[in-house]
Structures are given as C-alpha cells and as structure tokens.
Amino acid sequence: MLKSVVRAVGAAVRVSSAASSTARALPLSCPTLRSPSSATTRPFTRSLWMLNNNGTSSGYRPKLFSSKVLNPSVSCGCGGLHTEGDKAFGEFLSDEIKEERKIQKNKSLPKMSGGWELEMNGTEAKLTRSVAGEKVTVTFNVNNSIPPNFEEEAEQGQQKSAAEEEPEIVSSPNFVVEVTKQASKHSLVFDCHFPEDEMSHGEGEEESDIFAIREVSFQPEGDSDWKETSYTLNTDSLDWALYDHLMDFLADRGVDNTFADEMMELSTAIEHQEYIKFLEDLVGFVKCN
C-alpha cells in the first residue's frame, strides 16, 4: 500500500514538472503578447520584405519597392528605353549644342608662338620644343580645368543688371614642365598651376607671375608617372630667391607669362571643343542615333 502511494506521488510530481517546463519553454516557440508595462516588451515590427511581398514566402524576391516600368514609347533597333523625358532631354541637348557653337570663338585650335609643337591625346595636350640641345615638354589636361565661379555680388545678395555680360569661361589647367638634357638620364620636372590671385614675390614689381611652381623633382626621362620615391621640393616654404631662380630657369626656356597666356587660350579652345563633342555624343546616346 505504501509503495502505491509513493508511486502515485512521484507520478504527480513528474506531471507537475512537465507542465512547468512546458510553460517555461513556451515563449521560445510561441511568443505571447505582453503588457506595455513589461520590462521585456518587444515592439511589433514587420520587415519591408514582408510588406512588399504581401506576406508570402515564395522563392521569388522582387525589388524592395515595386514600381511600374514604362514600356518604350518608340521602338528602334537599339532595343533601349525611349520615354517622353528622353525626347525632351534630346531636344534640350540639341538646342544647347547650337548655342555653344554660336559662342565658340575658335573653330580651329590657336597656334602657340615660340615654335611649340602640339600633340593631342583625347583631353591631354602635349607641347614640345627644342632649345640648344634641350627638350622642353609641357603637358596639361583640360578635364576639371574650369575654376568655379564664386561671385562676391551674389554672396552679398546684389542683383546683376540684365545688360551685364556673363563672365568669360577660361580654362586654367595644372601643367607639368619637363626639361631634358641630352647627356642626362633624368629630367627636371616642374609641377605648375594657375593660382586664383596673381602672385607677386616682392614689392615694386611691375608684372607678377600668372602661374606658380608647386613642386620640383628629378624624374627618369620618359616616365609618365611621377615617382614618389624621388625627392620632391615643395615651394610652399621655399626661399624666394631660389624660387625666383627656378622661375627664371623656365622663362629662359620659353615658359613665361606670354606662354602661360597662350596656353590658357589654347586650353580654353580645347576644353570647349571637347565639351561640344561630349554634348553631341550625349544627344546621340539619348536619341539612339
């Protein structure tokens, strides 16, 4: 009789333990709603995937937000998309090309004085000349050569008169001067640029330099890439006397203010030609010509 009672009590304890264990395991498999005051309240969220996929669990995964894709309004052999926006874009570009051709100053590239020979490679220009057995090469690229036009009057809120002309766009690219001697395996290379303000190195100078030397270095002859392992002289903290001698060295080889003026004129003409060519390529791409 006593054994039966013990077995009955043991069975009851096991049943009670199982029920308690089930209650503890329940939140892991089936979360229940909790009161807002509960410290473990989880916010009710739904993923964008569920919102977009209407709650389905199919293998197909559409875009995050579904959108209508307009069918081509015009059919052509290119198989591309043609919309009303493309049509308006093409018309705008055609008008823009006409206006740019009207204001184009140089139909052909201007010539450089001093016996410089021009060689073009896309947007890169190379000017070369020989001086008493030395070869001088000036290289520049017209990309990103138009400085931003920050007008003080606009910043001060003053309105320009209708009769006032827009400022002329001038290309002032950075350029590299390479001087090579016949008996040397290295070239003396100058990294130059056009500062925003004309530079002046001393009082009483009648004419200031319109370009400046940023860095000077010896580089292997013929290498197009600037080797960072070669010592580079930065002119920011350079003695003005040494700087003036470097500028005179360039002037003696034809790289002076006259050259800089003519180079800017040439660069401006090249940049404008490339801009018009880009617009023509763009309108052809949009219209699929």
Side-chain angles (χ1 to χ4, degrees), residues 257-286:
N257 278 354
T258 301
F259 169 86
D261 277 329
E262 293 181 357
M263 196 196 78
M264 281 196 294
E265 183 181 357
L266 173 63
S267 178
T268 302
I270 296 173
E271 197 279 337
H272 201 186
Q273 281 189 0
E274 291 296 323
Y275 176 62
I276 294 175
K277 182 177 181 299
F278 173 80
L279 293 179
E280 291 173 343
D281 292 341
L282 184 58
V283 71
F285 185 86
V286 171

Side-chain angles (χ1 to χ4, degrees), residues 73-92:
S73 57
V74 179
S75 60
C76 72
C78 74
L81 180 67
H82 297 280
T83 66
E84 292 299 324
D86 293 344
K87 181 180 179 181
F89 189 19
E91 292 174 353
F92 168 81

Side-chain angles (χ1 to χ4, degrees), residues 177 179 190 192 211 213 246-255:
V177 182
V179 180
F190 299 80
C192 304
F211 72 95
I213 302 172
L246 291 173
M247 292 293 291
D248 291 341
F249 179 88
L250 290 179
D252 291 340
R253 286 151 180 83
V255 182

Side-chain angles (χ1 to χ4, degrees), residues 146-273:
I146 304 295
N149 183 25
F150 297 105
E151 298 180 1
E152 295 181 359
E153 293 182 357
E155 293 178 356
Q156 297 174 358
Q158 299 180 1
Q159 298 294 332
K160 294 177 61 177
S161 61
E164 187 176 355
E165 295 182 357
E166 292 294 331
E168 184 179 358
I169 295 178
V170 177
S171 171
S172 54
N174 299 334
F175 61 98
V176 174
V177 182
E178 181 180 354
V179 180
T180 306
K181 293 180 179 292
Q182 291 180 350
S184 178
K185 296 181 180 179
H186 292 81
S187 300
L188 186 59
V189 182
F190 299 80
D191 180 15
C192 304
H193 70 111
F194 292 95
E196 294 182 3
D197 300 325
E198 292 183 357
M199 298 183 62
S200 178
H201 304 312
E203 296 181 358
E205 289 186 354
E206 296 181 356
E207 184 181 8
S208 59
D209 299 316
I210 63 176
F211 72 95
I213 302 172
R214 182 185 288 117
E215 293 177 339
V216 186
S217 177
F218 281 107
Q219 298 291 330
E221 181 185 356
D223 281 9
S224 58
D225 296 330
W226 188 287
K227 290 188 178 298
E228 298 296 337
T229 54
S230 299
Y231 178 77
T232 300
L233 178 64
N234 192 297
T235 61
D236 288 342
S237 57
L238 193 63
D239 178 76
W240 282 122
L242 176 55
Y243 183 89
D244 285 338
H245 280 297
L246 291 173
M247 292 293 291
D248 291 341
F249 179 88
L250 290 179
D252 291 340
R253 286 151 180 83
V255 182
D256 52 11
N257 278 354
T258 301
F259 169 86
D261 277 329
E262 293 181 357
M263 196 196 78
M264 281 196 294
E265 183 181 357
L266 173 63
S267 178
T268 302
I270 296 173
E271 197 279 337
H272 201 186
Q273 281 189 0

